[in-house]
Amino acid sequence: MIERTIFGPDHEAFRDSFRRFMDKEIAPFHEAWEEQGYVAREVWSKAGANGFLCMSLPEEYGGSGADLLYSVIQFEELWARGLTGIGYGLHSEIVAPYILRYGTDEQKKRYLPKLASGEMIGAIAMSEPAAGSDLQAVRSTALKQPDGSYLLNGSKTFITNGWHADLVIVVAKTDPAGGAKGTSLFLVERGMPGFEKGKRLKKLGLKAQDTSELFFDGVRLPAEALLGGAAQENRGFVCLMEQLPWERLQIAISAVAASQAAIDHTVAYVKERQVFGKPVGAYQNTRYTLAELQTEVQVAQVFVDKCIELLMAEKLDTATASMAKYWTSDLQCKVMDECVQLHGGYGFMWEYPVTRAYADARVQRIYGGTNEIMKEVITRAMGLPGR
Ligand SMILES: Cc1cc2nc3c(=O)[nH]c(=O)nc-3n(C[C@H](O)[C@H](O)[C@H](O)COP(=O)(O)OP(=O)(O)OC[C@H]3O[C@@H](n4cnc5c(N)ncnc54)[C@H](O)[C@@H]3O)c2cc1C
């Protein structure tokens, strides 16, 4: 196996401490959380108290000023262990960076320390019942009122961390006739009159994730709720586009980690399980299948590590990140399917990690931009004619 070179000793020490945290605070409860459909709220405050949230934020906002590799490690560890109900990644590396990058000083001071401590849980609400891939089609509106406030109306669906969320970045049209150029981002707090949570959605996988619907019925937002203030009005789409490389790479990182873990589980299983007097792993089909999967996952790991390096050097472009997202999540689904097969009937039983990993994998090809949309992005960068 090719040695990974992106991490230093401090990162590996951190990996150990995060593993201990998962062993104590997450793993023993995750199955119960899958059954209830959401994680315990304390797992957020405990993560905050241990410095595991928003690590890449500057210290003045409650972070550690850490490089992104610490967050990479969290994605890898949670997905390798199948602890997919935990939404730290989206909270720390999607929601908080929007506020850090585009927010006013006032917004940064108001929200970032609370996100870092786990006092507030963050979500981002782009998708709507009739607008997912085609975000320009969002129907939610936030229309400016004579007193400078905005009136938010609309509904969102499939929102990760949505049921627990205290702070939601909401994508809404401020100029409905302006298309992409009429879209803005708003910071909407739990408890604002007219903001209601819908039901937690029952899903094929990520069963402990509190993915929810959100409803906004005449929510009156003060002017200060516009992310970035007046300067960012109608610039929401630009902000969304700028953040895509890192968001897509997060999915690729978790896809490779989950795939490697499934291969490791399967290798252990096929060594033990006897059929026709010898281990499943002794059959050529098993050995060659695993050799092929391991080869592809190794290739994927090297590619993703290179993308991480590029990201940290601020050189990762959206097309390359889209390649990583689509190719590794397709690979993840293929790995899970083959690993389930090699487990026989036990691969269909929920108590087996490979079964859960199979269920959790499927959405990786869908969210963060579907893999078809990733191919659209790649073809555009190749100069091919568009739709
Ligand atoms: C578990 C989960 C968590 C999620 N978390 C969030 C979240 O936190 N925040 C959020 O805003 N959203 C979230 N989403 C929504 C997710 O991003 C969308 O589901 C996704 O972008 C696809 O949109 P859609 O479901 O409307 O599918 P559609 O856009 O209706 O797509 C249907 C099919 O058409 C294909 N298609 C669409 N356009 C094209 C095209 N131009 N060319 C070729 N094929 C095309 C798609 O690839 C897909 O196969 C989540 C979804 C899930 C399932």
Side-chain angles (χ1 to χ4, degrees):
M1 298 291 278
I2 298 173
E3 190 190 348
R4 300 181 72 189
T5 52
I6 58 173
F7 301 114
D10 288 351
H11 299 116
E12 293 307 344
F14 171 78
R15 192 186 291 277
D16 288 343
S17 79
F18 190 61
R19 280 182 182 166
R20 285 194 295 277
F21 179 78
M22 289 191 305
D23 287 342
K24 183 161 174 257
E25 306 292 357
I26 303 177
F29 315 106
H30 201 264
E31 189 168 343
W33 296 340
E34 286 167 6
E35 274 161 30
Q36 68 180 16
Y38 58 97
V39 303
R41 174 116 201 163
E42 303 83 78
V43 81
W44 285 93
S45 41
K46 283 178 184 165
N50 283 277
F52 291 135
L53 296 178
C54 304
M55 295 186 64
S56 59
L57 284 181
E59 286 179 24
E60 61 176 309
Y61 297 123
S64 318
D67 64 48
L68 288 180
L69 292 170
Y70 292 87
S71 296
V72 169
I73 288 169
Q74 289 192 9
F75 283 112
E76 289 183 351
E77 291 300 318
L78 288 167
W79 274 79
R81 290 283 291 273
L83 303 173
T84 51
I86 302 292
Y88 299 162
L90 179 129
H91 168 98
S92 300
E93 290 302 343
I94 296 182
V95 175
Y98 272 102
I99 300 172
L100 180 68
R101 181 146 184 191
Y102 305 110
T104 61
D105 279 351
E106 182 56 35
Q107 289 167 342
K108 290 184 213 178
K109 283 187 199 131
R110 181 178 173 94
Y111 295 117
L112 292 178
K114 288 184 181 165
L115 290 173
S117 68
E119 188 182 334
M120 277 189 145
I121 297 174
I124 181 158
M126 300 177 261
S127 304
E128 299 185 354
S133 302
D134 183 9
L135 276 183
Q136 295 193 29
V138 296
R139 291 187 192 158
S140 295
T141 53
L143 301 180
K144 203 167 196 167
Q145 304 301 297
D147 64 357
S149 66
Y150 294 84
L151 204 57
L152 175 64
N153 281 294
S155 63
K156 300 286 179 182
T157 193
F158 304 145
I159 306 308
T160 301
N161 296 345
W163 188 73
H164 269 314
D166 305 289
L167 177 67
V168 185
I169 299 178
V170 178
V171 177
K173 292 262 173 77
T174 27
D175 175 9
K181 290 189 179 135
T183 305
S184 302
L185 307 180
F186 288 90
L187 295 160
V188 180
E189 292 183 38
R190 172 199 283 274
M192 284 179 159
F195 173 21
E196 299 291 339
K197 309 276 180 82
K199 58 179 182 295
R200 283 191 311 276
L201 300 165
K202 287 199 170 168
K203 307 186 294 303
L204 171 68
L206 309 187
K207 287 190 180 292
Q209 223 318 300
D210 55 303
T211 315
S212 292
E213 301 170 320
L214 304 176
F215 300 106
F216 307 98
D217 182 10
V219 182
R220 191 166 283 276
L221 300 171
E224 303 80 65
L226 176 63
L227 180 65
Q232 295 291 348
E233 192 174 46
N234 295 325
R235 285 195 79 256
F237 237 83
V238 179
C239 305
L240 292 173
M241 295 301 123
E242 284 174 354
Q243 297 300 310
L244 288 178
W246 176 212
E247 293 169 13
R248 293 190 173 154
L249 190 56
Q250 293 170 16
I251 296 173
I253 290 163
S254 55
V256 176
S259 300
Q260 185 60 57
I263 292 174
D264 295 344
H265 280 300
T266 306
V267 167
Y269 181 82
V270 299
K271 282 188 197 164
E272 291 297 319
R273 176 74 177 170
Q274 301 279 320
V275 285
F276 298 103
K278 50 181 185 171
V280 173
Y283 290 90
Q284 189 184 64
N285 175 64
T286 308
R287 292 186 298 116
Y288 287 9
T289 299
L290 285 168
E292 287 164 16
L293 296 179
Q294 185 60 79
T295 304
E296 288 182 73
V297 171
Q298 174 68 90
V299 172
Q301 185 71 79
V302 172
F303 179 49
V304 167
D305 282 357
K306 181 67 188 175
C307 288
I308 294 169
E309 282 177 346
L310 287 172
L311 179 89
M312 293 179 68
E314 295 183 15
K315 287 184 182 161
L316 182 67
D317 61 82
T318 304
T320 308
S322 302
M323 290 175 195
K325 190 273 175 183
Y326 117 68
W327 194 72
T328 59
S329 58
D330 273 6
L331 175 63
Q332 181 183 5
C333 287
K334 174 176 156 184
V335 168
M336 297 316 167
D337 189 53
E338 296 281 13
C339 289
V340 163
Q341 190 68 16
L342 291 173
H343 276 72
Y346 294 97
F348 201 66
M349 298 298 126
W350 196 249
E351 69 202 79
Y352 278 74
V354 78
T355 313
R356 292 182 158 105
Y358 175 91
D360 288 344
R362 190 61 184 84
V363 76
Q364 299 258 86
R365 290 167 58 196
I366 297 171
Y367 60 16
T370 67
N371 285 6
E372 292 71 36
I373 295 297
M374 297 303 101
K375 291 175 196 175
E376 284 291 325
V377 172
I378 297 162
T379 53
R380 234 172 284 145
M382 294 167 74
L384 290 164
R387 278 171 270 142

